[in-house]
């Protein structure tokens, strides 16, 4: 038997592997030593035999509630990800698998490697609609990629979509694949119309270092980027400092920050109703957007989610709150499940890359429903 995670996005520590029914594993902590939950490794053993892989520190992970009703993602061909039988006893997470091939990859969710990110950016750049800008680099020296889609013009809205501030939330970048593919499809009439009304600024991966290092939540310096928006610094959180500066230059009329939630088996939107300067217009637009998204894609729902912050109680170091407060625009955090969508479950795959892509596409329907009513800073 053989276990490795020494690759892009990998994360596991193997404590002992001599007993096939008790392969003892631990998840390595994020840079900064605070968070851990993301795992991704390759397991090589004998086809046809059964194994029990036990993650012994699962009970101490950042979100133990995330293991309830959770099933690990598994793939033989590195393309199709299915769910493997998984159990949690309050302490140890056990993944039981009978191998169909000599090698299987196991992960917290279908991984999204930096190689795939590079492929995504390259394929977007084949479109004449897209421009690439690299506002700067991460602490590990990786490029921070910002795509601009469509040409600026009078009356056009500035629409920002960012993903993967939390690198272990790989569903966020699968979502971006769907959103970008639709936006760049010149045969899609809704996308064409949106590009007449708006310029899109898209950051498919806000945290390349955390992604490559196999972190759940932090960048190379141990910063949780979604708590850095009030005071980002080039030393600790250059990813946020650089993108926030670009936002000041373009203005922001719409902002969507794409995430994944460990515990809740739902797709939902966290609003910014706790910001001090909340307007009725922001509230109305948020509710209209959510309703339109639910209409466009029944994997999304409006019932379950985070409790609303009381007015004035929002954490302004979080991206969507910070931007809603600073730009007075529609800003939201979209959460997808690691587990599955409980209202529309899929036994084989759970929540999956393909469903993420489709939800990404559907967000353009929701945007189309509100775009005329967005506040317009470019009209000045
Ligand atoms: Zn997140």
């Amino acid at each position: 038997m053989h276990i490795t995670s020494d690759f892009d996005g990998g994360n596991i520590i193997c404590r002992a592997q001599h007993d096939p029914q008790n392969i003892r594993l631990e998840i390595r902590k994020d840079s900064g030593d605070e968070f851990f939950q993301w795992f991704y490794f390759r397991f090589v053993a004998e086809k046809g035999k059964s194994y029990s892989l036990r993650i012994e520190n699962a009970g101490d992970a950042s979100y133990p509630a995330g293991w309830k009703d959770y099933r690990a993602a598994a793939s033989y061909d590195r393309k199709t990800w299915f769910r493997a039988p998984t159990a949690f006893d309050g302490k140890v997470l056990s993944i039981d698998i009978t191998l169909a091939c000599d090698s299987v990859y196991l992960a917290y969710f279908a991984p999204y490697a930096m190689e795939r990110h590079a492929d995504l950016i390259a394929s977007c750049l084949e479109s004449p609609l897209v421009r690439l800008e690299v506002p700067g680099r991460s602490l590990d020296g990786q490029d921070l990629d910002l795509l601009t889609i469509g040409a600026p013009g009078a009356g056009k809205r500035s629409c920002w979509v960012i993903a993967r501030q939390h690198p272990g939330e790989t569903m966020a970048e699968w979502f971006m694949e769907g959103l970008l593919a639709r936006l760049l499809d010149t045969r899609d009439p809704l996308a064409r119309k949106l590009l007449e009304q708006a310029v899109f600024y898209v950051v498919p991966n806000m945290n390349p270092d955390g992604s490559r290092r196999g972190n759940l939540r932090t960048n190379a310096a141990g910063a949780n980027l979604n708590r850095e928006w009030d005071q980002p610094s080039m030393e600790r959180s250059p990813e946020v400092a650089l993108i926030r500066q670009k936002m000041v230059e373009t203005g922001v009329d719409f902002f969507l920050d794409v995430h994944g939630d460990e515990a809740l088996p739902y797709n939902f939107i966290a609003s910014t109703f706790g910001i001090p300067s909340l307007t009725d217009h922001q509230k109305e637009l948020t509710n209209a957007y959510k309703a339109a998204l639910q209409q466009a894609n029944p994997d999304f729902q409006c019932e379950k989610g985070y409790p609303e912050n009381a007015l004035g109680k929002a954490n302004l170091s979080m991206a969507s709150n910070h931007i809603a407060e600073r730009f007075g625009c529609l800003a939201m955090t979209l959460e997808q499940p690691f587990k599955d969508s409980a209202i529309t479950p899929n036994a084989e795959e759970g929540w999956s890359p393909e469903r993420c892509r489709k939800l990404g596409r559907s967000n353009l329907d929701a945007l189309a429903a509100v775009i005329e009513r967005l506040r317009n800073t470019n009209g000045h």
Side-chain angles (χ1 to χ4, degrees), residues 165-166 169 216-217 224 226 258-262 306 333-335:
Q165 291 201 78
H166 295 144
E169 295 162 10
L216 177 75
R217 277 173 88 77
N224 173 355
N226 203 25
V258 187
H259 285 254
D261 184 90
E262 289 78 3
Y306 301 146
T333 307
L334 185 141
E335 300 280 352

Side-chain angles (χ1 to χ4, degrees), residues 17 19 21 49 60 118 171 191 201 369:
Q17 55 179 350
D19 178 358
Q21 292 315 307
K49 295 218 165 131
D60 297 324
M171 57 286 282
Y201 302 93

Side-chain angles (χ1 to χ4, degrees), residues 254 269 271 273 280-297 300 302 330 332 362-374:
F254 171 85
I269 276 176
S271 58
F273 292 175
D280 285 344
H281 190 53
Q282 280 169 310
K283 249 178 125 160
E284 196 187 304
L285 287 171
T286 306
N287 291 332
Y289 188 94
K290 287 164 65 175
L293 183 53
Q294 187 174 23
Q295 178 84 30
N297 188 327
F300 180 83
C302 303
L330 172 60
M332 295 166 290
S362 300
N363 269 262
L364 295 182
D365 292 297
L367 179 58
V370 300
I371 194 158
E372 293 281 359
R373 285 182 284 150
L374 292 179

Side-chain angles (χ1 to χ4, degrees), residues 156-160 198-199 201 250-255 377-378:
K156 279 192 166 183
R157 270 70 170 183
S158 294
C159 294
W160 277 83
V199 181
Y201 302 93
T250 65
V252 185
D253 302 317
F254 171 85
F255 175 72
T377 44
N378 277 327

